[in-house]
Every structure is written in C-alpha cells, then in structure tokens.
Amino acid sequence: MFEIIAQNMAPIMFVSLIIFLLAGYPVAFSLAANGLLFFFLAVELAPYANGEITLSWPFLYALPDRIWGVMSNETLLAIPFFTFMGLVLERSGMAEELLDTAGKLFGPVRGGVAYAVIFVGALLAATTGVVAASVIAMGLISLPIMLRYGYDRRVASGVIAASGTLAQIIPPSLVLIVMADQLGRSVGDMYKGAIIPGLILTAMYAGYIFIVTMLYPKAAPALPPEARSFGEGAPYGPVMRAVTFPLVLVLWGMILLFSPGLALEMLALLLPPVATAFNANFTAQGPVIFAFLGVLAILYFGYYLFLRAVPRALSQGLALVFALFTAYSIYRAGIDLASRFGELPTIGETGIWFLWELLVWIVHDWIWYLAIFATSMGALALRHAPSVPVAKAVAKIVNDLLPPLVLIFLVLGTIFQGIATPTEGGAMGAVGAILLALMKRQLSFDLTRQALESATRLSAFVLFILIGARVFSLTFYGVNGHVWVEHLLTSLPGGEIGFLVTVNIMVFLLAFFLDFFELAFIIVPLLAPAATALGIDLIWFGVLLGINMQTSFMHPPFGFALFYLRSVAARVPYLDKVTGDLTAPVTTGQIYWGAVPFVIIQVIMVGLAIMFPQMVMHYKGVPVAPPADGGLVIQAPAGGGLGLPPLGGGLQGLPGQTAPSGGVQPPATGLPGLTLQPLGLPSPAPQGGAAQPATPDLGQPPKLN
Amino acid sequence: MSAALALSRAIDSVTTFIGRSASWLILASVLVSAVNALVRAFLNTSSNSWLELQWYLFGAAFMLAAAHTLKQNEHIRIDIIYGMFSRRRQHWIDLLGHLFFLMPFVLLMVWYLFIYVNTAFQSGETSANAGGLLIWPGKLMLLLGFILLLFQGVSEIIKKIAVMRGIIPDPTPHVSTHQPIEEAKPVDGVTGAEHV
C-alpha cells in the first residue's frame, strides 16, 4: 500500500493539486499548501519509494532562498511597471484622441472604423501590455460610432474585443515577459520573436474585416460624407492630401529611432546635402540622431507654416519645388528599376512564388515610391494653401499620433537597441505616460494613487502565485514529478508536431477556465522540459503559447476582453448623441458571436506559427530562407542535455546576474532593416547560465527542406 | 467575539495602512529604474547598488501589500467550480483554506525566514555584485511580508467566523473572475486593472 503511494507520488500529487485548485481557495496558497503537504508525505514515505523520492527535512531550508529568488528577479519588475503605465495611459485620454483621429482617417473606406479600431489596438498594444485599457476606450468611443452608422453588432463588438487582446502578443506584453521568465529565456528575444506573429495577426484581423466588407457590405459600411469632415472648412480630401507629407516625416522619424542606419541611408538618397553636412560635422551617432530629428521637425514646421499662413504666391512656389522633387523621384525610381531589369523574376524560376518575387522586385525601391507619394500629395496640398482649418486638422492628426509613437520608442526602441532592459523600458514608458498625462492635465494625485495600488495588488497576487509555485516545485521535483510529466509528454505520438498540437489544444481548452497567469505559472513550467527534450526552441514555443493564451481573453463566455466590453456597451436602448435616433443595445449574445471568428483566426495563427517557425526564429538573426514549395519537414535536432529550470522557471537567479551586461551599445549603422542589437539581458538562466539565449545547443531552429 | 473582532479591525487597519503606503514604493522603483537606464545611456556609467535598489523596492512593495491584498480578497482563485457553490459553502472553503492552507504555510515561512534573515544579519552579508547592497534588509522584507500575512490570516479567520455566524456583514462578497459576462458591472475609472 505505502509502496504504491510512494512510488506514484508525482501523479497523486498532481491530481490532488487539481483538486486543491478547483476547490477555489486562492491559487498561491493552494499551491504552497499542496507542496508542503506532499513534502511531509514524501519524507515519511521515502523509505518505500525505491529511490523515487529524494527529499528529506533539511530541504525545507531551501524555501527562503527560493522565495528570495522570486524577489530578486529583475525581469518580473516589468509587471508592475507596464501595469502602472497602462493604467495611467488609460486615463490620459491618449487612446480616445487616437481613436477619434484614426476613425476619421479610415472612415471613408468600407469597414473603416473597424480598421481604425484594429490600427489603434495594435498601436496601443505596442505601447503597453494591458488589455483592459484599450478595450474600455474602444468600447466607449468606437462602438457607438459603429452602431450609429449601421455596423453589424457582432462585427463591431468582436473587432473591439479582439483588437484589445493584441496587447497580449505584441511586445511589450506581460504574457511574453512571464513566458520568458518561466521558460528561462531572455525577454528581449521573446519580444523579437513575437513581433512578426503579432503583426501578421493584426493583418489577419484586418483581412477578416475586408472579407466581411466584401461579402456583406452592409455589415461594415463606410462613414457617410457628413461624418468624414475634420471640421468646418476642412473636408476629408484636402486634409488627407495635406497630412500625407507630415505622416511620412513621422514614419521617417520612427525609422530613425528604431534603425538609425536605414534612416541615414534614406537621408543620403533623398537629401544628399544634409547627409554630407552631417558627415562633416558629427562623428558620434547620438548627435546625428538629434540633429536628424531637428531636420525632420524643421521640415514639418516649415511645411505647416506654408500650409497655414504664408502668402499664396510663396506656397505656390513651394508646391512647384515639391512637384519637381516628385519628378526627380520618379526619375530615380525608374532608373533603379531599369538597372535591376535583369533580376526581374520569371515564372520559370520562381514557380508559385512568382507574384511574391515580383512584388519584392518592385518594392525594392520603396524609398523613392514613398518620396513620390509624399511630395506629390504635398504639392497638391500646397496648391490650395494657405488654409487655417486644414492646417489645424493636420496639426491635430500629427499631435494625436505622436504620443503613442514616442512611447513606443521609449519602451520598445530602447529595448531593441540595447539601451535599456525590458524592465527599464517599462519604467521609461511609465515615466513617459506620467509626463503625457501631465501635459494633458489629466494626472491627479488620486489617479496616481489608484494606479499604483492596482499595480501593487496585481504584483502581490502574481508574485505570490510564483512563490506558491516555488514551494510546490520543491516537492514536485523531489518526487521526480518533472520526469513523470516529461515522460508523459515526450511519449505523445507524432514527435515534435504531435507534442505541439496536443499541448496547444490542451492550453486552448484550459484557457476557457484559467487566467494566463495561472497557465503560465502552473502549466508552462511542466511543459518546458518536455519541449526542450524534443529539441523545440523555447522562444518559438513561448510565442506559440502566447498566441494561444490570447484566446483566454476572448473565449466566450468568460473572456476578460468580452467582460470589459460588456461593462461599457449599452444594455438598454439609448438615444444616439449625433443622430438622436433610438439605438438598440448590444446583447450579450452578439458579443459572444462577434468573438467567435476572432478565436478561429487565433487558432489559424497558432497553426501558421507552427508551420512557419521562421516568423519567430528570426530573433536569432539567422538568415531566413524564403519558403520553398514542397513538404514541410521539421528536423528535431538531437537535443536537450540542458539543465531544466524547476517549476518557477529558473528563478534562483545568481546574484551576479542582476547587472545588465547590455550596457551602452552604439547601434550598428548602415544596415538596412530593423537591426536588432543583442540585448545582453540579465537572463534568468537556470543553473549558472546554462541556458543563455540563442546558444546553438538549444537545438537549431527547425528548417525547411 | 467582540474582542476578537476588535483585534481583527486593528490588524486590518495596520495592514491596510502598510499595504497602501507600500504601493508608493512602486513609483520609486519606476523612477530608479528609468534613471538607471538614462544614466547608463548618457553618462555611460552604472551602479549595481542602484540596480539592486529597484527590485528591493519592488520586493518590499509586493511583500508588504500581500496582506492587504488578502484582506481585499484579491488573491486570484480558480473559481470555475467555487463560483457555482452557495455563499455558505464558499465561506466554509475560505475558512478551511485559511486554517489548513494559508496558516501552516505562513507559520512555517515565518519560522524559516526568521533564521534566514538572522543569518544574513549576523554575517553582514552583502550582494555578490561589486558595490552591491547589504542583503539582510531585502530579506527582512520577506519576513515582514509573511508576518503581516500571518496576522491578516488571523484577522480573516475571525471575520469569516463572524460572517458565518451572522455577526458582521460580508466584507468581501465574492466577485467571480470567471462569471459569464452577463453579470459584468459597468466600469468607471480604474477598475478591472487586476486582470490585464
């Protein structure tokens, strides 16, 4: 009898954990209690266990050190930082103004407000990692607009809930931080790996709206003309033409901040004299960037001045200059295309990828196309300058768009360029959000206190779950539970793919009932060793699970995003503010059904990420082979041999790991594309840094044959 | 019972005060962290003690706030089944949980952390990083956090018994995190932040 219990301690412990958790007492303490109870049982039964149990009383002395490990984990600091930032932003009014502006920009397109919601959702997601903020703002601002102009209620509510959850997968998301921590990988790598899936997901949401507008034009109509104006004297068309040039300048500025080399290359092409002057006067990169930003600002303000107040004759002259530049850009683009005529892809060489290759061939000279677009629109706008209302509308658009972009740079830009660790990125974002709220006069003592208390409360329960998990894992590993789980998972049929599919289905189902914190702290550490043993890259695995867990926010009937939307959507018929019509409320059924297509998109996205690991694997900086037609064969390298992190993922960070080794690294110049610096994060590597990110022994990325 | 309730109120007010004050440490931590990054970027220098300070502050914040979080009934539960129980049965789960899950764990941790902090204090241990901080104040935060939790646990048990006997109204009616959204209450202001 004792033998049976003692030799099957791990499964018994696991089942009893499920019972403990389902009883409904707080997770943190249930985990700890389960760990302690079985610790005593295990020590008592150790003589019967045939060596399966490696615990004895002195092991309890390890507990304080394990808790200290949780506390001294610098990565987890990002949790309160990003939460606090999100709460302050929610109150700063930034989301509202952004939605208002984006709604007008996209309005005239069919499904425009829905696109605006997706765009704003993605933009907010890139500033902070909190779902609540964007769903509530969008539910308050965009939902009434969509209902007013006859959007299908399911489409309207679904797109809002889903766009809000983008915050969970687009960096800097809390899910990815926790996942990186639990998998013992660097947050920076996790962020890099998640960018492309996040963007593809955003595009798929937009694609869904596009399909809806094609099949059911009435489900997502364009805004009527009277709703498109930017105010008296600022009709849609002229404002759009006038704002193109500034928006391209903003884009250039963002390229500069994220990839200075590329921006300087563009400068050398477009404005050679300025580039020459820079080269002559500056040697260091820092001043160049500041001077560059200065040039962009001067261009913008000069343009704005002409748009607003300069006598007509002068602005006509500037319009001519713009037009000449357009002509020059067309000429240069033509030359470039002609010079690469020999590389024009042919169907024979490329097969089914012909259209893609052709597109790549054409957009190779995108800098010139961008210049053509910006200057031609600018010329058209200046022909009708000056106009104060148009200029004001342009300024409002730029002013609404800049704050989130600046925040994105403060957070992601600094992380990717190796200036800051993810934790520090979160801190800078939080400071940025405070400054923004101050500028908008929205910051009060009460708001700060509430936001801090919420962030602290969240930290307390999250960190205590982690502490509980550490107590649990002490026993669970002592009774060889990790070996049992690993054996169970690696013996699944189908090898790597079989494992991934099974695990993802399991997580998808669990996500109906569990928060992602619960999933991440209890389930993920059990999966990680098995994944490593199968040679699965843990960043890829983490991003897959991240996309999957995103569904836990939109699963009917419990998803939090739906919950937030329900809380701000009308429950009773109401009078529309603009039209005065009686508008029907949004029913709960509509919110549920609206979410379903997006849950399906999410599942498709998980499948795509499994089929095309390159979209995540680029974090290693390996050249990504173009997808070739033919069967997908994923090699599972003979792998493992890694020290596996105990439950609670390598939190016994060595003291020496706290100092960021990233330091100040001058960003590489002259490299086109988003050049990502090695982050040198204090990676929470278990067992003395055995699992540094991107070391080849982790199993090379699955390759396509 | 009334004496016990008075004790419970006293404990609650102390943990509430400490928990709410501790949240300002998060702001301090934010500022320290942001300044660390800026100093390193612009002045090209860095200090381990400042890097350690940020998580000392954070650690103090969440440890000291844990008792307050318990008082507010904000420690997260899996309430898929719990939510279906009658309130009476939920009370029983909470009471038994306090007695047999929370208290043994917290008592044990207070005991072991006391030894742990004392060792660090006696040896004057400092962090292994060059220029790192003294370690015992950080470890002391763990101990203080668990002591506060111990007291709060006592207070919760008293309150739970009083609620079950109908002496006081339920201070923290169960709000499910997994209730169907039909029951969602309108949001005003900073709510729902717990579930990011």
Side-chain angles (χ1 to χ4, degrees), chain A residues 317-452:
Chain A
L318 188 65
L320 187 65
V321 174
F322 270 64
L324 286 175
F325 202 93
T326 310
Y328 173 69
S329 303
I330 293 174
Y331 164 73
R332 285 297 302 266
I335 288 189
D336 280 340
L337 279 185
S339 74
R340 289 184 301 109
F341 195 73
E343 299 160 29
L344 188 66
T346 59
I347 294 188
E349 291 166 10
T350 55
I352 59 163
W353 294 98
F354 172 71
L355 283 179
W356 170 253
E357 292 290 325
L358 187 67
L359 192 68
V360 170
W361 183 81
I362 293 173
V363 299
H364 185 271
D365 302 319
W366 59 273
I367 291 177
W368 292 112
Y369 302 135
L370 198 63
I372 294 168
F373 180 53
T375 52
S376 59
M377 288 297 164
L380 286 175
L382 286 166
R383 284 218 342 122
H384 301 284
S387 157
V388 175
V390 170
K392 275 187 175 166
V394 168
K396 174 160 166 41
I397 293 172
V398 172
N399 286 344
D400 288 347
L401 216 52
L402 271 184
L405 293 178
V406 170
L407 286 177
I408 289 173
F409 168 70
L410 274 184
V411 178
L412 287 184
T414 54
I415 295 174
F416 285 150
Q417 299 220 15
I419 299 169
T421 64
T423 299
E424 290 165 344
M428 301 225 275
V431 172
I434 292 177
L435 294 179
L436 184 71
L438 270 179
M439 281 194 298
K440 291 183 180 282
R441 297 175 193 285
Q442 299 281 351
L443 193 75
S444 66
F445 179 82
D446 249 12
L447 163 65
T448 316
R449 190 178 53 76
Q450 281 175 17
L452 282 172

Side-chain angles (χ1 to χ4, degrees), chain A residues 65 449 457 515 588 658, chain B residues 20 76 116 129 182 184 194:
Chain A
D65 229 23
R449 190 178 53 76
R457 198 160 52 227
D515 279 351
T588 302
T658 37
Chain B
R20 296 182 76 168
I76 196 165
Y116 189 61
N129 296 318
E182 193 54 67
E194 294 76 30

Side-chain angles (χ1 to χ4, degrees), chain A residues 118-198:
Chain A
I118 296 170
F119 172 75
V120 172
L123 212 54
L124 291 178
T127 59
T128 183
V130 187
V131 166
S134 31
V135 172
I136 290 172
M138 294 192 286
L140 287 172
I141 307 260
S142 297
L143 189 60
I145 298 178
M146 290 199 262
L147 297 188
R148 182 181 309 148
Y149 298 110
Y151 272 65
D152 183 282
R153 277 138 205 283
R154 287 165 301 183
V155 173
S157 56
V159 78
I160 289 177
S163 303
T165 66
L166 283 174
Q168 294 303 327
I169 192 65
I170 295 181
S173 95
L174 288 190
V175 175
L176 295 175
I177 294 172
V178 170
M179 201 69 79
D181 177 68
Q182 290 297 300
L183 293 170
R185 287 293 176 276
S186 99
V187 178
D189 280 349
M190 201 59 99
Y191 281 179
K192 282 186 227 163
I195 286 184
I196 291 183

Side-chain angles (χ1 to χ4, degrees), chain A residues 581-614:
Chain A
D581 294 342
L582 190 68
T583 311
V586 180
T587 68
T588 302
Q590 286 161 345
I591 294 180
Y592 286 163
W593 282 110
V596 171
F598 290 94
V599 173
I600 294 171
I601 291 177
Q602 216 68 33
V603 173
I604 296 173
M605 185 65 210
V606 173
L608 284 178
I610 291 179
M611 275 168 22
F612 301 102
Q614 312 96 309

